[in-house]
Amino acid sequence: NAGVTQTPKFQVLKTGQSMTLQCAQDMNHEYMSWYRQDPGMGLRLIHYSVGAGITDQGEVPNGYNVSRSTTEDFPLRLLSAAPSQTSVYFCASSYSESYTDTQYFGPGTRLTVL
Amino acid sequence: KNEVEQSPQNLTAQEGEFITINCSYSVGISALHWLQQHPGGGIVSLFMLSSGKKKHGRLIATINIQEKHSSLHITASHPRDSAVYICAVLLNYGGSQGNLIFGKGTKLSVKP
């Protein structure tokens, strides 16, 4: 199993550009989520999904969209990039949304917005 | 106001030393996770605790729900233990992963 994969690993955008961060898992996990990690702060939840066709907002959803058309994929879209979105983004998945299930994290995408 | 506080922020140890990383929280929780973030950035879940103590290899995690405190211990530390260790708490009102609050992490460096 590849686990949780993310592409790209690095990305530089100009303010106002849009892009999609890709996330895929091959473990048939129902729960998937996106976090951002900023210096001096803990991981913060952006959006999450408890199954195909179902998404919901986390703590910091503004400026991001998600969709979950398949169990495997959970892309994160930046609609109009801003410098405040410069961060490292992690996708994670788990069997279910229960806190007792182990979360598996992708390798991260480092995004810089100029 | 930080609901999850980790100490120390940075820790340097010599190989073989016993290491303790602390996590304190100010709210009622139902569970606590410890995670490890490798220097390359990858994040791995180590433990999930709701009471008592868990051990995996050289890693031991303890939690005291009443005192709102958890510790992660590493025995016989090794340079490969160098990483950022992250504490995350699950607030009492939710049983979902979406209700996790993460600490800022403790950066551990183990020198040979």
Side-chain angles (χ1 to χ4, degrees):
Chain A
N1 287 349
V4 181
T5 58
Q6 289 183 239
T7 55
K9 288 185 78 69
F10 302 94
Q11 183 70 48
V12 179
L13 292 177
K14 293 181 180 176
T15 296
Q17 286 185 315
S18 63
M19 80 157 295
T20 299
L21 307 186
Q22 301 292 345
C23 173
Q25 52 88 12
D26 61 359
M27 297 174 281
N28 203 31
H29 284 171
E30 291 295 326
Y31 184 85
M32 296 185 75
S33 55
W34 277 101
Y35 294 95
R36 59 178 290 172
Q37 186 177 44
D38 300 297
M41 301 187 74
L43 290 161
R44 290 183 294 168
L45 183 65
I46 305 171
H47 284 284
Y48 65 96
S49 168
V50 298
I54 306 168
T55 64
D56 207 345
Q57 296 180 351
E59 181 186 355
V60 288
N62 292 343
Y64 308 95
N65 270 358
V66 291
S67 60
R68 184 99 180 266
S69 55
T70 67
T71 299
E72 294 77 20
D73 300 298
F74 191 44
L76 178 73
R77 279 181 285 276
L78 280 71
L79 308 172
S80 177
S84 60
Q85 294 178 303
T86 293
S87 188
V88 181
Y89 291 85
F90 288 96
C91 178
S93 76
S94 59
Y95 179 74
S96 79
E97 68 174 316
S98 170
Y99 72 91
T100 59
D101 288 336
T102 299
Q103 281 207 77
Y104 296 86
F105 288 82
T109 294
R110 186 174 292 274
L111 175 68
T112 302
V113 182
L114 303 174
Chain B
K1 172 177 168 289
N2 292 323
E3 291 165 313
V4 182
E5 296 277 358
Q6 290 188 236
S7 63
Q9 284 187 305
N10 293 282
L11 179 58
T12 300
Q14 287 298 125
E15 184 173 357
E17 284 185 3
F18 180 85
I19 288 162
T20 296
I21 297 169
N22 298 297
C23 176
S24 298
Y25 47 91
S26 57
V27 294
I29 71 166
S30 50
L32 181 146
H33 291 254
W34 282 103
L35 305 101
Q36 180 191 53
Q37 184 167 23
H38 299 294
I43 300 173
V44 176
S45 290
L46 297 175
F47 295 104
M48 191 279 292
L49 293 158
S50 54
S51 65
K53 176 172 149 177
K54 284 192 177 178
K55 184 174 189 287
H56 185 249
R58 295 180 294 106
L59 300 177
I60 304 165
T62 63
I63 188 169
N64 186 317
I65 292 281
Q66 288 75 22
E67 293 188 5
K68 295 185 168 58
H69 182 267
S70 175
S71 292
L72 177 68
H73 306 286
I74 305 175
T75 61
S77 60
H78 190 275
R80 65 175 175 266
D81 297 324
S82 297
V84 175
Y85 291 85
I86 300 169
C87 166
V89 301
L90 181 77
L91 302 180
N92 252 341
Y93 58 78
S96 165
Q97 310 252 21
N99 301 121
L100 285 171
I101 306 293
F102 291 81
K104 296 177 184 179
T106 292
K107 185 174 182 180
L108 171 66
S109 178
V110 182
K111 306 293 186 189

